[in-house]
Amino acid sequence: MTPHDTHSPTPLSDIKVLELGQLIAGPYCGQVLADFGAQVIKVEPPGKGDAMRQWGEADRDTGEPLWWNVIGRNKQSLTLDLRQPRGQELLRELASQADVIIENFRPGTMERWGLGYEALSRHNPRLVMVRVTGFGQEGPYASRAGFASVCEAMGGLRHLSGYPDRPPVRVGISLGDTLAGLHAALGTMMALHQRDRSGRGQVVDSSIFESVLAMMESLVPEYARAGKVRERSGSFLPKIAPSNAYPARDGRDVIIGANQDTVFRRLCEAMGQPGLADHPDYATHRARGEHQAAIDDLVAAWTREHDAQQVVDILAEAGVPAGLVYRAPDMLDDPHFQARESIVEVPDRHGQPLPMQNVFPRLSDTPGRVREVGPALGEHTEQVLTGWLGLAPEALDALRADGVI
């Protein structure tokens, strides 16, 4: 890990973003935009802020939750009570100068506050409004609360996760939220590109359930045209072989993916059994799919003769995709992670180095970067309101006294 670079240009440095809402889906969209240089103003309720400030494990030295440092990174914090008319008025003034506004409230909330797209775009027709919800802006479920767990289930992911003899399981992260945030960021960039041509903004509607559904490959047409309902299969994909987790002598598992014909031949040679590649049960993709259990047994018998790292080294030399199942300490110690600076150290608010994932994808000329960890609540309130709106100190004092900021 090396210290973060603060000097290279970033591609979104001319974009102003207001981020409303809380938790993960909308704020992850803001994180992506901020990582690539956009000025993202995080608008939070006075006194409590985003709930993400309290989520996750706490720093063992300071007692402060750590997750906020990641999802709030590169952003500025402005406290503003959007339930008060004066707070709504200030938001309208800020939106008149913004390029993008991100919100992940339930549909209709912004409209009740007089902050819907129709109202805001009257004063700023170039505004792009990014709306991130569980079920989208319309439809019979639009008004429902939509956490990632529920939307992952409705999008098809949960039914496929786990083993067939047990109830479906969830991935140990809020994957649906992050997928919705990524789709929202992608939609933002497309809307900004179209704005460059038309001069007008538009609404980006990113739902969690559809963001998960988008990842479901051929699940729907397989049912519609082949009558096939995909089911849970555990650590492998049906008819894709060999591609599984295989036990090593030292108790660790090795993930091996050798289902392509040429790669399977290389695996057989590395295992010292080159004849398997021409055996009629294993010579083609479809044949290996039909004899999946048998071929997995053959590969597992070989991996059990070696320690896990030895298996990975042998297969890397042979050109066969293979790797260990990494945890955080493995990532921090891995030389490839280090060489690519996949994890970067950023000073926290106490000046201590805090490792976290770097910015992805990588751009050759204008890469994103982690400039700073998540801000303190309201850290930039005065700076934003004076810089964007020109408010005088006595106006700020009055807003504080009324609990608006």
Side-chain angles (χ1 to χ4, degrees):
M1 295 178 294
T2 60
H4 60 307
D5 176 19
T6 59
H7 302 294
S8 60
T10 50
L12 301 181
S13 58
D14 59 335
I15 300 298
K16 290 182 174 182
V17 180
L18 297 172
E19 180 194 299
L20 284 59
Q22 58 180 349
L23 298 178
I24 304 170
Y28 188 77
C29 173
Q31 178 191 324
V32 173
L33 301 179
D35 281 350
F36 287 95
Q39 182 186 10
V40 177
I41 309 301
K42 173 75 177 178
V43 180
E44 304 182 76
K48 56 182 180 179
D50 192 324
M52 292 304 298
R53 292 180 177 276
Q54 307 302 323
W55 280 29
E57 294 292 328
D59 187 305
R60 58 176 171 266
D61 295 324
T62 67
E64 298 173 357
L66 292 162
W67 195 346
W68 172 251
N69 290 297
V70 180
I71 202 165
R73 71 189 190 186
N74 294 330
K75 301 176 184 178
Q76 296 175 291
S77 174
L78 161 70
T79 53
L80 192 62
D81 188 350
L82 296 179
R83 290 171 172 79
Q84 293 196 43
R86 181 58 175 139
Q88 296 161 7
E89 181 183 344
L90 287 170
L91 195 284
R92 280 190 286 272
E93 293 180 39
L94 291 167
S96 69
Q97 300 188 37
D99 297 286
V100 178
I101 185 166
I102 304 168
E103 64 94 6
N104 66 336
F105 301 111
R106 286 199 199 185
T109 301
M110 293 288 284
E111 284 73 14
R112 287 196 300 273
W113 291 339
L115 302 174
Y117 182 69
E118 184 177 344
L120 296 181
S121 63
R122 278 200 298 268
H123 303 284
N124 181 3
R126 293 175 56 82
L127 180 68
V128 172
M129 177 175 273
V130 183
R131 316 195 76 167
V132 189
T133 56
F135 298 103
Q137 293 299 307
E138 68 279 321
Y141 304 154
S143 62
R144 292 184 181 180
F147 274 23
S149 55
V150 175
C151 296
E152 287 169 11
M154 293 185 67
L157 180 62
R158 284 295 185 95
H159 185 70
L160 300 180
S161 302
Y163 288 85
D165 60 341
R166 279 165 266 181
V169 300
R170 74 170 297 165
V171 180
I173 55 174
S174 298
L175 184 61
D177 282 325
T178 306
L179 286 174
L182 279 173
H183 279 91
L186 177 62
T188 301
M189 299 315 301
M190 289 188 284
L192 288 172
H193 180 67
Q194 173 62 19
R195 188 187 72 171
D196 288 342
R197 297 190 291 188
S198 69
R200 293 194 62 84
Q202 59 183 298
V203 174
V204 176
D205 181 354
S206 179
S207 72
I208 300 174
F209 91 97
E210 287 168 325
S211 296
V212 173
L213 176 63
M215 303 292 107
M216 288 297 102
E217 301 174 350
S218 59
L219 179 145
V220 171
E222 283 178 4
Y223 169 72
R225 291 297 183 88
K228 173 68 175 179
V229 176
R230 286 202 194 182
E231 301 290 349
R232 292 185 292 285
S233 57
S235 61
F236 64 90
L237 293 175
K239 307 296 185 180
I240 307 296
S243 182
N244 208 333
Y246 300 95
R249 182 171 58 191
D250 55 1
R252 298 190 70 179
D253 287 331
V254 181
I255 306 299
I256 301 174
N259 46 291
Q260 187 179 1
D261 290 349
T262 54
V263 179
F264 178 66
R265 183 173 294 277
R266 293 199 292 269
L267 172 64
C268 294
E269 292 171 354
M271 291 167 53
Q273 303 178 61
L276 285 176
D278 297 312
H279 191 287
D281 288 351
Y282 313 127
T284 67
H285 176 83
R286 288 191 175 275
R288 289 191 298 276
E290 293 299 323
H291 299 89
Q292 186 163 27
I295 199 168
D296 275 348
D297 288 343
L298 288 169
V299 176
W302 175 72
T303 58
R304 287 192 183 96
E305 297 174 353
H306 309 278
D307 289 344
Q309 188 60 57
Q310 184 182 10
V311 172
V312 172
D313 293 342
I314 292 171
L315 296 184
E317 181 68 25
V320 177
L324 303 177
V325 179
Y326 274 16
R327 304 164 302 135
D330 304 306
M331 298 173 188
L332 288 167
D333 291 340
D334 188 277
H336 189 74
F337 279 64
Q338 294 169 3
R340 287 182 58 82
E341 299 182 9
S342 302
I343 295 174
V344 63
E345 286 187 343
V346 188
D348 66 15
R349 291 195 296 276
H350 305 283
Q352 298 302 309
L354 179 67
M356 65 177 67
Q357 58 269 44
N358 210 335
V359 177
F360 317 114
R362 299 170 182 272
L363 276 63
S364 60
D365 293 339
T366 56
R369 60 177 181 265
V370 185
R371 300 180 297 279
E372 53 198 359
V373 300
L377 179 61
E379 181 177 340
H380 305 93
T381 298
E382 182 173 337
Q383 175 184 332
V384 172
L385 293 180
T386 55
W388 283 39
L389 305 183
L391 295 189
E394 54 270 22
L396 294 174
D397 290 341
L399 290 170
R400 289 193 186 95
D402 292 339
V404 177
I405 61 174

